[in-house]
Amino acid sequence: AQSVTQLGSHVSVSEGALVLLRCNYSSSVPPYLFWYVQYPNQGLQLLLKYTSAATLVKGINGFEAEFKKSETSFHLTKPSAHMSDAAEYFCAVLNRDDKIIFGKGTRLHILP
Amino acid sequence: GAVVSQHPSWVICKSGTSVKIECRSLDFQATTMFWYRQFPKQSLMLMATSNEGSKATYEQGVEKDKFLINHASLTLSTLTVTSAHPEDSSFYICSAPWDREWNEQYFGPGTRLTVT
C-alpha cells in the first residue's frame, strides 16, 4: 500500500536560510506525490505535485521538490525562508483507489 | 482555479445533537468528494468517499451510522454528525478531485466542530 513518511514533526530554520522538509514514500508503482501547506485554522493549499512528468517539480511560493526514485524520497525545499512560510506542511500520496493519503505533517518554524 | 467551499466554518453544538456540514464545489462538478477529519496538531485522516447518486464508502473504523454522508448533486455533499459527543470535536475538511485523472484535489477551508 502506498504511504508517506515525514521525518521530523517540527523543523526550525532562520529567516533567509534554506528550508528542507523530508518525505519518503512507499509505493510499488510510480506514485503521484504532493506537498500541501496548511496555515492555522485553514484548509489545505497545494504547493506542488509530482506526476512523473519531471523529477524536479516547482511549486508556488518558491518551493520545489525533487523526486528521487533511488532514495524513494520527495523532499521539499526553498532556498530562502520567509516568516510567512511558517505553517504545517503535509506530504501526500495518491493511492490505487484515488485517495490521498497524508503524512503526519511537519510544522515549520521560522526564526527571526 | 477551482474552489471548494464549506459551511459552516465553525460550529458549536451540545452533546446529543446533530450537526450538518456542507461541502460545495463552486465552479466545477464533482461526482466524488472526500471527507477528512483532523484532530489538533495531527494529520488528516480520510473518513469516507462521497459518491453522487450512490452510497458513500467509509474507511475502516468510521461509523457510517454516526457520520451520514449525502451527495445530493454534482456540486454538494453533506456530512451529518449524528448524536454528537465531545470526542467528535475536530476539524472536518472535504475535498474534490479536479481533473479526470484525479491527480489534483481541491480542499475546502474546513469546519471546526466543538461539541460541549
Side-chain angles (χ1 to χ4, degrees):
Chain A
Q2 287 92 336
S3 66
V4 289
T5 301
Q6 292 182 244
L7 301 177
S9 58
H10 291 266
V11 170
S12 296
V13 301
S14 298
E15 190 175 17
L18 171 71
V19 175
L20 171 60
L21 303 182
R22 300 178 186 274
C23 174
N24 288 89
Y25 69 89
S26 171
S27 177
S28 58
V29 297
Y32 284 166
L33 294 163
F34 310 84
W35 275 101
Y36 288 89
V37 61
Q38 184 180 35
Y39 297 100
N41 296 313
Q42 294 187 28
L44 296 174
Q45 183 178 8
L46 179 67
L47 280 175
L48 49 81
K49 64 179 180 180
Y50 168 76
T51 58
S52 75
T55 57
L56 182 62
V57 182
K58 293 186 182 299
I60 63 171
N61 301 339
F63 284 94
E64 62 182 38
E66 185 173 8
F67 174 76
K68 291 187 176 181
K69 186 177 179 180
S70 60
E71 299 177 7
T72 61
S73 69
F74 189 58
H75 301 333
L76 181 71
T77 61
K78 182 175 180 177
S80 178
H82 192 273
M83 295 300 291
S84 61
D85 294 326
E88 187 87 18
Y89 291 80
F90 293 97
C91 181
V93 63
L94 189 72
N95 75 1
R96 295 185 180 185
D97 297 322
D98 291 323
K99 298 174 182 177
I100 291 184
I101 307 300
F102 289 89
K104 292 185 180 298
T106 298
R107 180 161 297 275
L108 176 63
H109 304 271
I110 309 298
L111 307 174
Chain B
V3 178
V4 173
S5 70
Q6 285 185 239
H7 178 80
S9 57
W10 178 72
V11 58
I12 299 175
C13 71
K14 291 186 177 181
S15 188
T17 62
S18 295
V19 174
K20 180 184 287 187
I21 301 170
E22 295 184 348
C23 176
R24 294 182 184 271
S25 56
L26 297 184
D27 52 3
F28 66 103
Q29 293 182 333
T31 56
T32 298
M33 291 182 176
F34 299 97
W35 286 96
Y36 296 83
R37 68 185 299 181
Q38 183 181 30
F39 290 107
K41 300 184 179 181
Q42 295 189 30
S43 189
L44 282 77
M45 299 300 295
L46 181 64
M47 297 175 65
T49 303
S50 173
N51 304 296
E52 189 270 334
S54 64
K55 292 182 178 180
T57 55
Y58 292 80
E59 297 300 303
Q60 190 173 9
V62 178
E63 300 176 61
K64 61 181 66 177
D65 293 330
K66 180 167 188 62
F67 299 99
L68 301 180
I69 291 173
N70 184 293
H71 200 136
S73 73
L74 290 173
T75 59
L76 173 64
S77 174
T78 60
L79 169 68
T80 301
V81 183
T82 63
S83 186
H85 288 92
E87 57 264 31
D88 298 323
S89 298
S90 188
F91 196 50
Y92 292 88
I93 301 175
C94 70
S95 72
W98 166 233
D99 59 23
R100 296 180 69 83
E101 294 193 9
W102 285 18
N103 59 31
E104 183 161 350
Q105 294 189 19
Y106 287 88
F107 286 79
T111 296
R112 171 84 52 200
L113 170 63
T114 301
V115 184
T116 60

